[in-house]
Amino acid sequence: MRVNEAESTSAALESDGFAILSSLVSHAECDKLIEAIAANPVRGPGSRSLLGIEPVLRTGVTIKRHSSIEAILSPHSQLVQCSLFAKETTTNWSVTPHQDLSIPVRERVDSPGWTGWSRKEGVWYVQPPEYVLEQLVAVRLQLDDHSSETGPLEVVPKTHSQGRLSNPDILKSALSGKCSCVVPRGGAVVMRPLLIHSSGRSRSVRPRRVLHFLFGPPLPSNLAWANAF
């Protein structure tokens, strides 16, 4: 079964730019992660620097070794970031269709093709060349139940293969039809960050917490990931 799941995940990621895994970690592991996050509170609806929380880092390393994830990562891929997205009654929002274009690096090194430098939570972010973006894989782990009511991820299938798009082209593509990714607790959406995606506001008082793990390739010798495991 694991072999078939790994093959189907790899095929869906290649064809559509995303795949849904119904069970990636146990409910008990979700509880432990929620407790660890609560013990290290972040401001607002989320944070980009969750790898500093030891249980989150351990889970990310375990996910990297999962057969379905190993099948889609290159042998040299590294765990480079984990972000928290938390929708609750006091922090509820929607996100317009977009692509994820920025990555965290150790320091600013001006290089051709590396643009849009910014500083967030004390870390440098940059938009790398397209060949780097095409190699990224995101795993969005669902920590809570009732994802259909709490503003689930919406994606536009197959748009990951269209490269970096302008805002008008993104909005035009989004009109062609979005797919809602309803994921059970402990499951995940695996996706290419160039895939056009968005999410609506939660319609529930229940919390919606997602850990967004990012895996990426080795960077050119003059640049380094802010963190890599």
Side-chain angles (χ1 to χ4, degrees), residues 54-179:
E54 187 61 31
V56 174
L57 174 58
R58 287 200 305 267
T59 297
V61 172
T62 300
I63 286 174
K64 182 183 175 184
R65 296 171 181 159
H66 188 279
S67 59
S68 292
I69 305 303
E70 268 192 335
I72 58 179
L73 296 177
S74 75
H76 303 294
S77 288
Q78 299 169 296
L79 171 62
V80 297
Q81 187 184 26
C82 181
S83 302
L84 169 69
F85 301 126
K87 292 183 182 180
E88 302 183 70
T89 53
T90 56
T91 54
N92 195 2
W93 76 95
S94 62
V95 181
T96 58
H98 66 285
Q99 297 173 300
D100 290 341
L101 301 177
S102 295
I103 62 172
V105 294
R106 186 175 301 164
E107 59 184 350
R108 177 167 181 165
V109 179
D110 292 322
S111 301
W114 297 71
T115 62
W117 289 93
S118 62
R119 192 89 168 158
K120 302 171 184 176
E121 297 183 51
V123 176
W124 280 110
Y125 283 80
V126 63
Q127 294 184 12
E130 203 168 287
Y131 77 88
V132 176
L133 295 172
E134 291 172 343
Q135 297 179 70
L136 301 178
V137 174
V139 179
R140 296 172 59 99
L141 177 64
Q142 181 80 22
L143 298 182
D144 298 290
D145 284 319
H146 305 282
S147 67
S148 63
E149 305 166 7
T150 54
L153 181 74
E154 299 171 328
V155 302
V156 184
K158 303 186 185 301
T159 52
H160 67 297
S161 60
Q162 297 176 9
R164 193 193 311 245
L165 300 172
S166 66
N167 285 334
D169 285 340
I170 288 174
L171 296 177
K172 182 179 179 181
S173 292
L175 293 175
S176 66
K178 293 185 288 186
C179 172

Side-chain angles (χ1 to χ4, degrees), residues 191-205:
M191 61 177 282
R192 294 289 186 187
L194 278 176
L195 186 75
I196 296 173
H197 57 287
S198 59
S199 70
R201 291 174 60 87
S202 173
R203 307 188 310 273
S204 172
V205 296

